């Protein structure tokens, strides 16, 4: 039987090779040739999947978002009983912060994308894709808490959702720069949640 | 009389050439040779001021912080009468957001530094330098407002200061990515201030 290649597996292996490079030295330095070498395949094999660096970047970005969503889903899914909106928000925010090596790498890759996306319209379109869904998930928890009387009715869920997302993004930068230890960032998130919830 | 060179002026011209490059394509792509060409001087002249790329980066980073502090000082200084802590905080936060071309460029340069500083200890030390002073300025305004009865006494000034700084940093990213228009970011800052002040 001829050797079968698992194309999905190979695409993901390429995305992960790209990540390792991006988290160490950003995306500008990552040529197709470098990524092929890091993934242990030939440049020709890589080009079978991605003709240009842009195609590869867009795919790997989708792969990041998918893994991050899956990580959050797994964490939230493992919570016992019927978690409160506050618990769901807190666990999601904790998973977004770079508190362990895996999420630290993920955040470094996202920042490498961010820097490139500011100057690259196609990438910017993709970089923004996940934000409305995240904002809506947060807003839904806030609405649920408001209905349960745990958040004051005059708080606008959509505004509070975007404040939470922006806050955790800002904190992420300061954790990566060693300005804040991870636990201190989490304490700040809790302080903010204390003010949001009555 | 022999031609006199204004060394300060030349250092600043070099820093500004570095910025233009950094805001367009990041710091990794900026060689001493590129920066000399952008500043309109020879590589030898540039090396008279900065022997290595690292020396140049550290100087230009100090220059950014100085200009940003001066911009905030000028804005705050132009406020009529005796501005309230809330006005001082709001005007400072507004100056930190990339709401015009100049501060947009400044933010892009800071992000380029940030990405490099994550992997570079010397740069990281310098990148963190301004933060305690900013945090202390914010905390002082919050204490003043608490004494005046405008902020509840149970709010911890240092915690609230870091929340404000992190929030505006996160919002900055979303403005640069065109996720949020500048006015929307400012509206979110105001919503947060509304909750901080009684």
């Amino acid at each position: 039987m001829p050797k079968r290649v698992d194309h999905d597996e190979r695409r993901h292996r390429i995305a992960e090779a790209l990540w390792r490079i991006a988290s160490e030295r950003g995306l500008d330095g990552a040529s197709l040739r470098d990524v092929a070498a890091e993934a242990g395949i030939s440049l020709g094999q890589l080009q079978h999947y991605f003709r240009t660096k842009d195609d590869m970047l867009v795919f790997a970005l989708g792969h990041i978002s998918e893994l991050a969503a899956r990580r959050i889903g797994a964490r939230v899914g493992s919570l016992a009983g019927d978690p409160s909106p506050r618990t769901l928000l807190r666990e999601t925010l904790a998973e977004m912060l770079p508190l362990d090596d895996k999420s630290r790498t993920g955040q470094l890759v996202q920042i490498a994308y961010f820097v490139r996306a500011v100057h690259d319209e196609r990438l910017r379109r993709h970089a923004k894709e996940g934000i409305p869904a995240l904002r809506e998930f947060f807003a839904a928890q806030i609405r649920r808490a408001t209905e349960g009387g745990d958040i004051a009715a005059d708080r606008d869920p959509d505004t509070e959702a975007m404040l939470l997302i922006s806050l955790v993004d800002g904190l992420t930068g300061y954790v990566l720069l060693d300005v804040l230890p991870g636990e201190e960032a989490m304490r700040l998130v809790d302080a903010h949640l204390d003010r949001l919830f009555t």
Side-chain angles (χ1 to χ4, degrees), chain A residues 14-137:
Chain A
I14 294 170
E16 273 152 33
L18 175 66
W19 284 22
R20 284 193 294 277
I21 294 176
S23 72
E24 277 167 27
R25 52 182 212 256
L27 286 171
D28 288 342
S31 69
L32 286 178
R33 190 177 297 279
D34 294 335
V35 176
E38 178 74 29
I41 60 177
S42 72
L43 179 59
Q45 287 172 317
L46 186 142
Q47 284 171 322
H48 175 71
Y49 297 100
F50 305 111
R51 278 198 332 131
T52 66
K53 182 168 167 179
D54 272 0
D55 289 343
M56 180 179 70
L57 290 177
V58 167
F59 172 80
L61 180 61
H63 190 50
I64 295 181
S65 313
E66 206 183 299
L67 287 189
R70 230 186 279 168
R71 253 196 355 251
I72 292 173
R75 180 164 184 150
V76 162
S78 74
L79 296 170
D82 183 19
S84 66
R86 179 165 180 161
T87 302
L88 284 173
L89 286 174
R90 185 181 193 273
E91 294 297 308
T92 304
L93 292 164
E95 193 61 51
M96 289 165 72
L97 282 173
L99 302 181
D100 60 31
D101 278 355
K102 189 162 260 177
S103 64
R104 190 182 160 90
T105 304
Q107 287 293 353
L108 288 175
V109 176
Q110 288 204 309
I111 287 164
Y113 268 97
F114 168 77
V115 172
R116 203 176 160 96
V118 168
H119 301 293
D120 176 334
E121 206 185 324
R122 183 178 172 209
L123 210 54
R124 191 156 69 243
R125 222 167 46 230
H126 289 282
K128 300 195 294 196
E129 265 169 6
I131 298 164
L134 188 62
R135 189 170 180 171
E136 184 40 41
F137 169 74

Side-chain angles (χ1 to χ4, degrees), chain A residues 96-98 107 111 167-177 180 185:
Chain A
M96 289 165 72
L97 282 173
Q107 287 293 353
I111 287 164
L167 176 64
V168 83
D169 262 29
L171 290 170
T172 291
Y174 289 117
V175 173
L176 292 175
L177 273 186
L180 299 175

